[in-house]
Amino acid sequence: MCNGSPHLDGSRLRRTASAGLALVLVLLVVSVASILSDSSSSYTLTATSNLVGNTNVTAPDGTLVPFGTVYLLSTGTYNSLSRKTRALVSIGGNTVYRYAAYAKSSIDMSSNANTDSYNSSNGAYNTSTNISSNGSVGTEGLLTLYSNTVIHGNTSAARYQLNGTAQITGTQGAAPNVSLPAIDFSGPQTSNNNGTGWTITGGTMAYNSSTKALTGRGTITFNQGGTYYFSSVNISANSNLVVSSSVTSPVKIYVLNDYTTSSNFAMNNQTQKP
């Protein structure tokens, strides 16, 4: 919630409500702050976010908020009068980026696999002090979970197969209606940073420069930003994929065919940036 006292002439009520809305929509913090001088007017702003999961939620005023959107309500007052301005904002539409994992055809999870989330602005991932349940998973096909698998979040799938002690802590919804972006592999296939921007240590992990396949057990650490292309990834148990804290530009990884990881695999982005 934001509170302020803007000094506005003309249609004060409408503009006071709009000022609160504009503060979030365009982040005009400096401009808004410069007019907060009239004690007879004020605004309150509430935001109801529904960017995770696949079910609708209800805002405090009773408005239904569809998943994939944020509902904003700004109430402006001047003396004893008030006016409300509402907006429903879609963040990139119904996008795959609200899922921890998303696949078009199917997803299989087994051998103690789990998803969760954390807030990087609060520091590093910590299972005691910095952990949350926004690790949602979605597929337009079959979602198969085997024993000891836990999804700390919601799921969206056309069909479900839960085995043994597999758990979903959130809701189980129908297949998502997501428009997958077209991916052009021709550029990454021929122009990439393969072999120069990473180090591979421990175990049997190896990169085949001819087939461009990554296989085996070990740790692959990306030490610089760039584009990386694999025809397929098949990583064995107890392996790691790490983005080094020294990286200052995006790491883009393209996988043409299957991407497979086994038990106790960990992916660690040390930059704490998306």
Side-chain angles (χ1 to χ4, degrees), residues 48-91:
T48 303
S49 173
N50 190 14
L51 298 180
V52 177
N54 61 347
T55 58
N56 297 329
V57 301
T58 303
D61 67 348
T63 298
L64 190 66
V65 184
F67 64 90
T69 65
V70 176
Y71 171 68
L72 302 175
L73 171 63
S74 180
T75 303
T77 61
Y78 178 67
N79 291 330
S80 60
L81 302 176
S82 65
R83 181 186 178 96
K84 295 182 178 181
T85 300
R86 299 173 174 86
L88 190 63
V89 182
S90 176
I91 310 299

Side-chain angles (χ1 to χ4, degrees), residues 35-250:
I35 58 175
L36 303 184
S37 59
D38 189 344
S39 60
S40 63
S41 59
S42 65
Y43 66 82
T44 60
L45 176 66
T46 60
T48 303
S49 173
N50 190 14
L51 298 180
V52 177
N54 61 347
T55 58
N56 297 329
V57 301
T58 303
D61 67 348
T63 298
L64 190 66
V65 184
F67 64 90
T69 65
V70 176
Y71 171 68
L72 302 175
L73 171 63
S74 180
T75 303
T77 61
Y78 178 67
N79 291 330
S80 60
L81 302 176
S82 65
R83 181 186 178 96
K84 295 182 178 181
T85 300
R86 299 173 174 86
L88 190 63
V89 182
S90 176
I91 310 299
N94 194 6
T95 168
V96 298
Y97 298 111
R98 57 194 183 88
Y99 294 97
Y102 185 91
K104 184 173 180 63
S105 58
S106 65
I107 292 179
D108 288 359
M109 297 177 64
S110 61
S111 300
N112 301 310
N114 73 86
T115 66
D116 54 32
S117 61
Y118 77 104
N119 187 342
S120 61
S121 65
N122 294 331
Y125 173 81
N126 187 298
T127 56
S128 298
T129 60
N130 192 11
I131 187 172
S132 189
S133 297
N134 293 324
S136 298
V137 173
T139 177
E140 297 172 35
L142 174 64
L143 175 61
T144 303
L145 306 181
Y146 295 96
S147 292
N148 301 321
T149 297
V150 181
I151 294 177
H152 293 279
N154 303 323
T155 57
S156 306
R159 302 184 309 281
Y160 288 85
Q161 181 178 330
L162 276 65
N163 303 283
T165 57
Q167 297 180 54
I168 299 171
T169 64
T171 61
Q172 298 181 40
N177 181 22
V178 174
S179 298
L180 291 173
I183 301 176
D184 184 2
F185 285 93
S186 60
Q189 282 177 324
T190 57
S191 178
N192 53 63
N193 300 96
N194 287 17
T196 61
W198 71 53
T199 56
I200 295 177
T201 56
T204 60
M205 184 177 289
Y207 168 70
N208 188 315
S209 59
S210 297
T211 63
K212 293 183 171 56
L214 180 69
T215 59
R217 178 178 61 83
T219 297
I220 180 169
T221 302
F222 294 91
N223 301 305
Q224 67 181 44
T227 297
Y228 301 92
Y229 169 82
F230 301 101
S231 60
S232 63
V233 172
N234 191 346
I235 299 178
S236 304
N238 302 310
S239 297
N240 302 279
L241 186 155
V242 179
V243 176
S244 172
S245 59
S246 63
V247 172
T248 58
S249 58

